[in-house]
Amino acid sequence: MFKLFSKYSFFAYAILPIVLLIFRIPLFISPETSLTSYDEDLYTPLWDLLFGSIMDSSVWSIACALIVNFITILLVNHITNNYCFTERQSHLGGFFFIVLSSGFVISQGFHPVSIFVLLFAIALIRIFSGAQNEKPMRNCYDVALLFSIASLLWAKGVWFFPFHIIMLIMLRIFTLRTLLATLFGILTPVILVVSYYFFDGTLQSVVVDYLRCIVVPVAFYKTSVLAKIYLGIMAL
């Protein structure tokens, strides 16, 4: 399997969806697990507003999870193959993403974290391409916009904002203009969402729920025997 995906071939590319389906078999066996959150305060009010109807159906939830995961796999492959993460082009990035994200059935479903990872991968592509641009302000705006949208869906994503500044410094594109572009990118979706809930008359309760989602620790400590075996293998 490792040798197969270490080659950049169409056959290996075509096998990726099949491998994804094999690793996602537990979702089809127990579809209700796709509706389980990492913790009791995982879902922000904006997530409930946009995806609440999808979460009510296990079929649609599983379908969306597979689509989001496969798009993320393609993005991971793009990042590893185009930004010198590997010596040669291959599909190992996507394969390892499938393996590492399949240890827990709860992590295979459709939830804010999966959307955050998808937007995070797109943001990485934009920030890396911005390093090759003479005027990276637009890239910085796009990255901050993606981070902001992702954080409105998964509240704990706000802790990743410093990562964006660190990336700007490491890529040597940290200037006053890129910093301002970043601030505008962060504020754009926030202003739109705040305006919606303000006119809806529920802004105060939404802010309280969102802040609780940020500070409540993740209740993700219970593991089964299979999960412990998986974690042991991954650690080795």
Side-chain angles (χ1 to χ4, degrees):
M1 185 69 70
F2 181 85
K3 186 176 181 180
L4 171 64
F5 289 106
S6 63
K7 299 178 181 179
Y8 194 73
S9 63
F10 177 79
F11 179 73
Y13 177 81
I15 291 294
L16 277 176
I18 299 176
V19 175
L20 177 64
L21 289 174
I22 293 174
F23 276 87
R24 296 299 189 265
I25 287 178
L27 283 181
F28 298 95
I29 298 176
S30 302
E32 66 274 7
T33 55
S34 63
L35 305 179
T36 306
S37 66
Y38 283 104
D39 54 55
E40 58 181 3
D41 291 304
L42 176 67
Y43 302 136
T44 61
L46 183 61
W47 174 270
D48 292 332
L49 176 66
L50 297 178
F51 302 105
S53 58
I54 294 178
M55 299 300 293
D56 292 335
S57 171
S58 60
V59 176
W60 280 108
S61 179
I62 293 173
C64 290
L66 293 174
I67 293 173
V68 170
N69 287 335
F70 185 67
I71 296 175
T72 306
I73 290 168
L74 298 181
L75 294 173
V76 170
N77 272 337
H78 178 82
I79 293 172
T80 56
N81 290 328
N82 290 275
Y83 298 107
C84 301
F85 281 90
T86 56
E87 294 183 355
R88 61 180 182 178
Q89 291 188 334
S90 68
H91 294 292
L92 285 176
F95 173 71
F96 282 125
F97 176 82
I98 295 175
V99 174
L100 294 174
S101 64
S102 301
F104 301 92
V105 178
I106 192 175
S107 67
Q108 300 177 11
F110 183 63
H111 45 71
V113 181
S114 59
I115 298 295
F116 181 88
V117 173
L118 172 65
L119 296 178
F120 186 80
I122 299 175
L124 283 179
I125 294 175
R126 290 296 294 162
I127 194 66
F128 285 142
S129 60
Q132 305 169 359
N133 194 342
E134 294 182 356
K135 297 181 179 180
M137 286 77 72
R138 179 179 298 179
N139 297 74
C140 294
Y141 175 85
D142 293 343
V143 172
L145 183 72
L146 291 168
F147 268 112
S148 185
I149 295 174
S151 299
L152 289 172
L153 295 174
W154 183 49
K156 291 180 176 62
V158 298
W159 303 114
F160 285 82
F161 277 116
F163 175 80
H164 175 61
I165 303 300
I166 294 173
M167 288 293 294
L168 295 182
I169 297 174
M170 293 179 62
L171 296 174
R172 298 180 181 180
I173 56 176
F174 182 78
T175 63
L176 180 60
R177 290 184 178 182
T178 56
L179 181 60
L180 291 175
T182 297
L183 293 177
F184 284 127
I186 294 173
L187 291 176
T188 299
V190 172
I191 292 174
L192 294 176
V193 172
V194 168
S195 300
Y196 171 81
Y197 284 112
F198 175 78
F199 289 108
D200 189 52
T202 58
L203 179 61
Q204 183 176 356
S205 61
V206 166
V207 172
V208 172
D209 290 340
Y210 184 80
L211 293 177
R212 185 177 67 250
C213 292
I214 294 177
V215 299
V216 170
V218 177
F220 193 48
Y221 307 111
K222 295 182 179 180
T223 56
S224 62
V225 175
L226 292 177
K228 291 179 180 178
I229 295 175
Y230 169 82
L231 290 174
I233 296 175
M234 291 299 102
L236 294 176

